[in-house]
Amino acid sequence: MMSTARTSPAAPWHRRPELLAAGAATVTVVLWASAFVSIRSAGDAYSPGALALGRLLSGALTLGMIWLLRREGLPPRSAWRGIATSGVLWFGFYMVVLNWGEQQVDAGTAALVVNVGPILIALLGARLLGDALPPRLLAGMAVSFAGAVTVGLSMSGEGGSSLFGVVLCLLAAVAYAGGVVAQKPALAHASALQVTTFGCLVGAVLCLPFAGQLVREAAGAPVSATLNMVYLGVFPTALAFTTWAYALARTTAGRMGATTYAVPALVVLMSWLALGEVPGLLTLAGGALCLAGVAVSRSRRRPAPVPDRAGPTAEPRHEDAGRA
């Protein structure tokens, strides 16, 4: 019987963890994109610190209930350093500074500056975590960043930016990157739910000085703004940060950071559908570049063919040639 080189296709159940991680990352990206629409509404009635605290309290309450029902217990001591660091940088500082920055600059400039974050994640991950920087990841990030620049420039309003706002958005990007890189080691010792729940709780505690503002502003805020704030806590925070941690535990920080380049493209689409903001051709082109870059960064080389046991150079025997 003729012996041929054959590939080794993975059985469906062997690919299940990879598919679940990809699905979790998709949920995160979609919900984080929707957050931009909700922040725009809630930000008209709530100041940056109050909005961050209300969002974190809603998220911590949701996560705490799930954590109690699942009875996962406290994270081990080895995970607390990463949980506390990501809680301070990402859940706390990032949310306040980003809310503040978006009040100083237009949405396009904010999106452009914050999208420095994935690049910083890849560099910090390589330096501190030993993550590899494969050529496809770097190429995909370059394409996506070009798309983010295009989206940012196309959405920038005239005279809507300030140097102070740009600095705030840059600080938000640095805090985002630092929080992700700090969170990655913690996921080796604790579950995604534990890391997210207690990170969110740390961020909420950090924002408690804004409690007075939250109470005063909630009394006069329209119901729609308050509902948007609660939505931000339950879905883009509690659910999306948990699915993010689940996916991050199963891949590198750089690859996960590159995935978030899909957010600007989805924001354009959601603004079109929910707010009736028709994007221009330049915006659509930038969104397409963002998605293309994500596809490139998450692609992998096809596995090399696995030779049969008889050997890759085995030739068919003469008597079997007619039966091949």
Side-chain angles (χ1 to χ4, degrees):
M1 186 71 67
M2 183 172 64
S3 174
T4 58
R6 58 185 175 86
T7 59
S8 178
W13 53 86
H14 289 164
R15 294 197 60 195
R16 187 181 178 189
E18 180 181 344
L19 294 175
L20 288 175
T26 301
V27 170
T28 296
V29 168
V30 171
L31 290 178
W32 282 356
S34 74
F36 282 84
V37 178
S38 294
I39 287 174
R40 180 175 302 179
S41 175
D44 291 336
Y46 288 97
S47 59
L51 178 58
L53 177 59
R55 176 179 179 176
L56 289 167
L57 288 176
S58 300
L61 180 61
T62 303
L63 288 165
M65 292 173 62
I66 298 173
W67 172 72
L68 287 173
L69 289 174
R70 290 182 59 87
R71 299 180 180 179
E72 291 203 5
L74 294 173
R77 182 180 299 178
S78 54
W80 272 105
R81 180 178 178 181
I83 291 173
T85 304
S86 65
V88 170
L89 290 178
W90 197 7
F91 288 88
F93 185 78
Y94 167 82
M95 290 191 182
V96 175
V97 174
L98 180 61
N99 291 342
W100 193 3
E102 288 193 1
Q103 291 185 352
Q104 306 294 319
V105 302
D106 52 76
T109 301
L112 173 59
V113 177
V114 173
N115 269 301
V116 174
I119 298 175
L120 297 176
I121 290 172
L123 296 177
L124 288 174
R127 175 69 176 175
L128 301 177
L129 305 178
D131 290 347
L133 291 175
R136 291 194 182 198
L137 174 60
L138 296 175
M141 292 180 69
V143 173
S144 288
F145 187 70
V149 170
T150 303
V151 171
L153 293 177
S154 67
M155 296 176 63
S156 295
E158 296 181 2
S161 300
S162 70
L163 178 60
F164 181 59
V166 170
V167 171
L168 288 173
C169 290
L170 184 58
L171 287 174
V174 174
Y176 159 46
V180 171
V181 174
Q183 189 184 66
K184 174 67 175 175
L187 291 166
H189 306 284
S191 70
L193 179 60
Q194 289 174 323
V195 170
T196 307
T197 299
F198 289 93
C200 186
L201 188 59
V202 169
V205 171
L206 186 69
C207 292
L208 281 178
F210 301 108
Q213 289 183 8
L214 177 60
V215 172
R216 290 192 301 270
E217 293 170 5
V223 175
S224 60
T226 302
L227 289 177
N228 273 290
M229 181 174 64
V230 174
Y231 169 82
L232 287 168
V234 176
F235 292 98
T237 303
L239 177 56
F241 273 76
T242 302
T243 52
W244 164 276
Y246 176 88
L248 179 62
R250 289 156 178 80
T251 186
T252 64
R255 190 177 294 274
M256 277 300 294
T259 303
T260 62
Y261 272 122
V263 169
L266 292 177
V267 170
V268 171
L269 177 61
M270 290 179 179
S271 297
W272 188 0
L273 297 176
L275 304 176
E277 298 179 350
V278 180
L281 292 179
L282 188 61
T283 304
L284 291 175
L289 280 175
C290 289
L291 295 177
V294 171
V296 171
S297 66
R298 293 194 66 86
S299 64
R300 295 180 180 180
R301 291 183 178 179
R302 293 182 178 179
V306 178
D308 203 350
R309 289 184 178 181
T313 58
E315 296 292 336
R317 292 180 298 174
H318 180 72
E319 62 269 24
D320 290 333
R323 288 175 284 172

